[in-house]
Amino acid sequence: MLQLPSFLIAHWLAGMLGYAQDGWSVPYHFAIGFNGVLAFLLGLWFIQRLLLKRFSNVVTHSTLLLVAFATNALYYGVFDGAQSHIYSFMLVSIAMYGFDKWVCLGALKWLLAASLSFGFIVLIRPTNVILIVLPIIYIINNKYLLSRILSLNYVALLVAVILPMIPQFVLWKMMTGQWLFYSYGTEKIYWLHPHIWEGLFSYRNGWLTYTPVMIFALTGIWLLRKMDKNMMIALAIIIPLHVYIVFSWWCWYYGHH
């Protein structure tokens, strides 16, 4: 769905330029690649908007440079934009920005935008449902936010979350006869056999081995206690959970050597 606009433009250009309109000819390759770059840039832009509210230009743009060039976001944004990873990056940035705007301004449209983004986040990678911890921590630790959330129309929020998932449910029903279908076959998560140490430090795609800049990011969580205690608590829950889930997957090194 997130690639659809570029696909449609490529489909039109393929006919105009005499290429096969089969989803695989040159215009489609360029379009999907461009779509990945656009998602990458949009993710950085929303992060910039968030950071500038709290930090100086120097700190904000230094951080953006590190995210862009010292993590694997660059690879997925520029070289492998057909994968889902860069879209998760963009959507998490949008969801956090929308939630932050709702906290500051109180306008329902921002919370709906965050909810819609969250629906896409869960659709793209269901285990990312753990990100709901972040808004929950903010809301339960702030009586004003709690009173605001209790007065909202829950139906509208629920629709915003579920809306992106409906086409997937329909597709599963058409293809398998089931509204919910596990499409990974025999691949699964081994909850009792995580490879956390190897996933973090081994030569086989170890996260901190190949992305050492994230050591500073992890250290920064503790430093948040004076600036944004809710964010510190949320990240202290989400990141260990995410690490555990990711490295409990049967192919904990995710196919890379």
Side-chain angles (χ1 to χ4, degrees):
M1 287 186 282
L2 295 172
Q3 292 174 341
L4 183 60
S6 290
F7 176 86
L8 293 175
I9 293 171
H11 196 67
W12 173 71
L13 284 174
M16 289 278 293
L17 300 174
Y19 288 94
Q21 291 179 298
D22 58 0
W24 296 100
S25 58
V26 171
Y28 299 97
H29 285 265
F30 276 106
I32 297 303
F34 175 79
N35 213 60
V37 172
L38 183 61
F40 179 44
L41 294 176
L42 279 173
L44 291 173
W45 186 75
F46 280 104
I47 292 173
Q48 180 195 45
R49 297 290 297 274
L50 271 172
L51 293 179
L52 281 175
K53 289 180 60 178
R54 297 163 173 82
F55 302 101
S56 67
N57 274 316
V58 172
V59 171
T60 294
H61 292 103
S62 297
T63 301
L64 289 173
L65 285 171
L66 288 172
V67 171
F69 295 105
T71 74
N72 57 4
L74 179 69
Y75 171 79
Y76 284 111
V78 176
F79 301 105
D80 209 352
Q83 297 274 7
S84 67
H85 304 68
I86 202 62
Y87 296 98
S88 291
F89 171 76
M90 174 188 73
L91 289 164
V92 171
S93 301
I94 293 173
M96 290 185 65
Y97 178 78
F99 180 73
D100 183 70
K101 293 288 281 188
W102 175 73
V103 168
C104 296
L105 303 177
L108 179 60
K109 66 179 181 180
W110 291 112
L111 189 57
L112 288 173
S115 300
L116 186 68
S117 299
F118 183 71
F120 273 109
I121 288 166
V122 176
L123 174 64
I124 288 175
R125 181 158 289 190
T127 54
N128 282 344
V129 70
I130 61 174
L131 293 171
I132 196 65
V133 168
L134 191 146
I136 288 174
I137 293 295
Y138 271 88
I139 290 166
I140 64 176
N141 285 332
N142 187 307
K143 291 181 180 179
Y144 176 60
L145 291 181
L146 184 60
S147 64
R148 273 166 49 186
I149 203 77
L150 291 175
S151 66
L152 290 175
N153 184 339
Y154 295 107
V155 175
L157 294 178
L158 190 61
V159 168
V161 172
I162 294 176
L163 192 62
M165 304 181 189
I166 292 175
Q168 183 66 63
F169 294 150
V170 172
L171 178 64
W172 276 333
K173 183 66 174 176
M174 291 171 58
M175 300 300 293
T176 70
Q178 302 174 43
W179 289 107
L180 286 172
F181 180 74
Y182 186 73
S183 57
Y184 281 89
T186 58
E187 299 179 82
K188 62 181 180 179
I189 293 175
Y190 289 90
W191 298 108
L192 299 180
H193 300 284
H195 291 266
I196 294 173
W197 179 263
E198 299 96 320
L200 291 176
F201 299 108
S202 80
Y203 75 96
R204 299 185 75 183
N205 211 30
W207 179 40
L208 299 180
T209 300
Y210 294 104
T211 316
V213 71
M214 296 310 296
I215 295 171
F216 296 101
L218 294 173
T219 304
I221 295 173
W222 173 246
L223 301 178
L224 278 172
R225 69 191 185 280
K226 294 181 179 179
M227 181 181 299
D228 192 337
K229 190 175 180 180
N230 289 324
M231 180 66 77
M232 184 199 76
I233 295 170
L235 292 179
I237 296 171
I238 290 170
I239 292 177
L241 262 179
H242 184 68
V243 167
Y244 171 66
I245 293 169
V246 166
F247 297 127
S248 294
W249 183 242
W250 75 272
C251 185
W252 55 268
Y253 49 89
Y254 284 75
H256 301 296
H257 299 274

